[in-house]
Amino acid sequence: MCSQERITRAVIPDECARESGQKPNRTVLGTATAGAAFLAYFVLATSVALTKRPISNEAWFANPALTLIQAHYMGTPILETSGTWLRGLDRYTYWIMPLHILAEAAWFKVVGFGLFRLRLLSICWGFVALAAWWVILRTLTQSSRIAVLGLVLISTDFIFVTSAATGRMDMMCAALGFAGLAAYLGWRERNLALAVLAGNVLVAASGLTHPCGILPFAGLWFLILYLDHARFQRRFLGIAAAPYLVGAAAWGAYILRNPSLFWAQFAGNISGFAGEYSNTSRTSGLCSPWVALKNEIVVRYLKNFGAEPTAKISSHFLLFIPLAVVAALVVLTARPELRRQKGCKALLLLAAVFFLMLAFLEGMKFDSYLVQTIPIFTAILAVAIYSAAAHPLPFLPRGLVLAAVAALVGLQVAVVVGCGLQDRYRREYLPTTEFLKNRVSCRTLVMGPGELAFELGFNGRVIDDVRLGYCSGKSPDFIVIGGWNRQWLQAAAVKSPEIYRFVERRLSQQY
């Protein structure tokens, strides 16, 4: 007989299907579908990586890795630090976690440096995340069909794909965290001590990549206590603590080179650049939890799925995606046979842990962190879809379920294709850099968004300074205004009127 922990009646696992005499799932078909999902992900992510206009973050986070390779220290000279909380950044990069920088440096050593090469590293981490979710779903549901369906849905999700095509650390952080959950779930039946060690090694690495690693840390320990509290032994605490102590010692050795600069940069990044042009900080959710919960739903989720007055009418179709997730949550909680299944319950509670922690611990509501939660909601959607298809409800025939799945995947792919067709990299970014290339020399100073350096070089020619020399006293030969600079300058009119007047005078009278 199949374990009682497996999904029964509403979702029939492959093993139960064999015992009941039903036709087993075809391994070849499942493998082919999984392979097609990986291929589709690679094609979609690559198309975005080749056509998406670069952002300042990509340059800021690539710069210390490049400096480490070339000059053997981890500085970020592209950012102007005079008069800011980023003092010492030209020599020490403390404001972000170190592991992504080290991974970039190793990657650039192998494949060379460039914008697409930077994004390709993130795409590779996306493969790790997809494989991890196949293991998570396969283990929790005991169904390879659900695992493959989840793989298809996550691999075509436009949030997941665009995150993978961006040269930030978000996908690496998410992939390591999900891999930690997968390692624990995959090994817990055979060797619980090894499962605890492997899971915490990967989660610790996630935390050293980005502070969002706190989400898989909480998720991993929820799974450990929920699934194996009866088998857990005290000695496992020492095993689990080891990777965190090693990671803290390694990072601490770098911090001890200049603790005062570390505190200035890391504490300053609690609000960061966004805090300079907004009235929020990363910890604001702890002070106003109800406001944080409301903004989490409205700003981080619905706004990014087209629920905005200024959005195009076609963008409103994206609301079909969160509505589908809500319907999936209703299905999983409403069907008793699913609600009682321990794997499904674990998945629902895991989603709650990730959602609530992100809502209250990250007050800026950046959409780049959606990659931490979207795969979990998509996994829940896969379970609900398979349940509805395997045992249709009277008001929800199987044909309608399959049509909805096709529409969902088609909508996600259409968003990604639309992003590629806009090709803002060639239509906006390259014309700007080509204009500058024809007019600059090795002694020219350009003040503008950091992404200009991908074409003009990370050699001191480009300085990212929103204050346009107010604190540094530098006078650039060219000024480029774009992206978040406009938001910062608009806020400066109220928060820093002297800087605003200086910038306005410089732009209107000198350039």
Side-chain angles (χ1 to χ4, degrees):
M1 294 292 294
C2 290
S3 169
Q4 291 182 354
E5 291 187 359
R6 296 175 180 173
I7 299 177
T8 57
R9 282 193 278 179
V11 178
I12 302 178
D14 301 335
E15 291 81 2
C16 290
R18 294 190 191 99
E19 291 177 11
S20 61
Q22 296 183 26
K23 186 177 181 180
N25 187 25
R26 295 181 179 179
T27 304
V28 175
L29 180 60
T31 303
T33 305
F38 278 110
L39 179 60
Y41 158 75
F42 180 71
V43 171
L44 292 172
T46 302
S47 69
V48 175
L50 290 171
T51 56
K52 180 183 177 183
R53 188 180 69 182
I55 57 176
S56 296
N57 281 181
E58 293 179 293
W60 298 345
F61 303 148
N63 194 194
L66 189 61
T67 307
L68 182 60
I69 294 173
Q70 297 175 342
H72 310 294
Y73 66 91
M74 213 154 67
T76 311
I78 194 173
L79 273 166
E80 181 57 62
T81 63
S82 300
T84 74
W85 49 271
L86 285 170
R87 60 189 182 89
L89 189 66
D90 58 330
R91 186 71 189 179
Y92 297 98
T93 299
Y94 285 133
W95 68 309
I96 57 176
M97 310 300 281
L99 195 56
H100 183 246
I101 299 173
L102 299 177
E104 285 180 312
W107 178 259
F108 295 151
K109 275 282 191 179
V110 175
V111 304
F113 181 77
L115 176 61
F116 178 71
R117 291 180 177 91
L118 168 66
R119 291 172 169 178
L120 188 58
L121 173 62
S122 184
I123 291 173
C124 290
W125 282 113
F127 281 112
V128 175
L130 288 174
W133 271 105
W134 188 92
V135 174
I136 293 170
L137 275 172
R138 179 67 180 84
T139 308
L140 287 178
T141 68
Q142 293 296 309
S143 171
S144 59
R145 294 181 180 181
I146 296 176
V148 170
L149 178 58
L151 194 63
V152 170
L153 295 177
I154 297 173
S155 66
T156 55
D157 182 272
F158 81 93
I159 296 288
F160 186 86
V161 170
T162 52
S163 178
T166 304
R168 283 175 48 94
M169 66 286 287
D170 304 291
M171 184 55 80
M172 178 178 174
C173 173
L176 287 168
F178 296 147
L181 304 184
Y184 166 72
L185 290 171
W187 281 96
R188 57 179 284 268
E189 300 257 352
R190 287 171 283 181
N191 189 326
L192 187 56
L194 180 60
V196 170
L197 176 62
N200 282 282
V201 165
L202 291 164
V203 166
S206 175
L208 286 171
T209 302
H210 191 279
C212 276
I214 190 67
L215 303 181
F217 172 81
L220 174 63
W221 280 96
F222 156 72
L223 289 175
I224 290 173
L225 297 176
Y226 181 69
L227 298 176
D228 292 304
H229 62 278
R231 297 196 297 150
F232 195 82
Q233 303 174 26
R234 284 186 181 178
R235 66 186 182 91
F236 294 161
L237 292 175
I239 294 173
Y244 301 100
L245 294 175
V246 171
W251 191 27
Y254 180 61
I255 292 172
L256 287 175
R257 293 187 177 186
N258 203 316
S260 62
L261 289 183
F262 165 77
W263 180 249
Q265 292 183 24
F266 204 76
N269 198 27
I270 292 176
S271 293
F273 289 110
E276 296 176 7
Y277 61 77
S278 68
N279 296 318
T280 59
S281 70
R282 298 183 192 276
T283 58
S284 60
L286 297 174
C287 302
S288 305
W290 288 113
V291 174
L293 194 59
K294 172 194 168 187
N295 289 340
E296 184 74 6
I297 296 171
V298 175
V299 178
R300 190 170 348 242
Y301 287 91
L302 296 182
K303 185 177 178 181
N304 284 290
F305 288 95
E308 195 175 14
T310 58
K312 297 179 181 178
I313 296 178
S314 57
S315 298
H316 296 330
F317 286 107
L318 292 176
L319 285 171
F320 174 65
I321 298 170
L323 288 175
V325 172
V326 171
L329 292 171
V330 171
V331 169
L332 260 67
T333 54
R335 304 191 84 164
E337 58 273 24
L338 286 176
R339 193 171 60 248
R340 288 193 296 265
Q341 200 276 328
K342 201 164 187 178
C344 282
K345 196 183 298 183
L347 198 57
L348 285 169
L349 293 174
L350 191 65
V353 169
F354 272 63
F355 174 80
L356 292 175
M357 290 194 69
L358 188 60
F360 297 130
L361 297 182
E362 203 291 300
M364 307 301 286
K365 307 306 177 188
F366 293 135
D367 57 1
S368 55
Y369 301 152
L370 281 171
V371 71
Q372 302 287 341
T373 56
I374 289 297
I376 305 179
F377 292 127
T378 307
I380 290 173
L381 181 61
V383 175
I385 288 172
Y386 188 80
S387 171
H391 293 268
L393 297 170
F395 57 88
L396 195 63
R398 182 176 299 173
L400 184 59
V401 172
L402 297 178
V405 173
L408 179 64
V409 173
L411 178 61
Q412 301 270 25
V413 173
V415 173
V416 177
V417 172
C419 179
L421 292 176
Q422 289 181 18
D423 200 357
R424 299 182 67 185
Y425 175 75
R426 288 171 180 80
R427 293 183 181 180
E428 299 176 11
Y429 176 73
L430 285 185
T432 303
T433 55
E434 285 299 320
F435 173 88
L436 292 169
K437 277 183 179 180
N438 295 328
R439 291 163 176 80
V440 301
S441 65
C442 59
R443 297 182 180 180
T444 302
L445 177 62
V446 178
M447 276 189 183
E451 63 263 28
L452 296 174
F454 284 113
E455 287 294 319
L456 301 181
F458 288 82
N459 51 12
R461 184 185 294 171
V462 176
I463 294 292
D464 198 332
D465 180 10
V466 290
R467 296 167 181 83
L468 300 187
Y470 176 84
C471 296
S472 67
K474 296 175 182 176
S475 296
D477 299 289
F478 291 91
I479 294 176
V480 180
I481 300 294
W484 72 282
N485 303 67
R486 291 190 179 93
Q487 294 175 289
W488 194 94
L489 291 175
Q490 186 178 6
V494 177
K495 292 188 173 184
S496 306
E498 290 184 6
I499 297 178
Y500 180 78
R501 285 194 296 268
F502 170 84
V503 170
E504 283 292 295
R505 185 168 58 251
R506 168 156 277 192
L507 290 175
S508 61
Q509 299 178 15
Q510 301 176 26
Y511 290 83

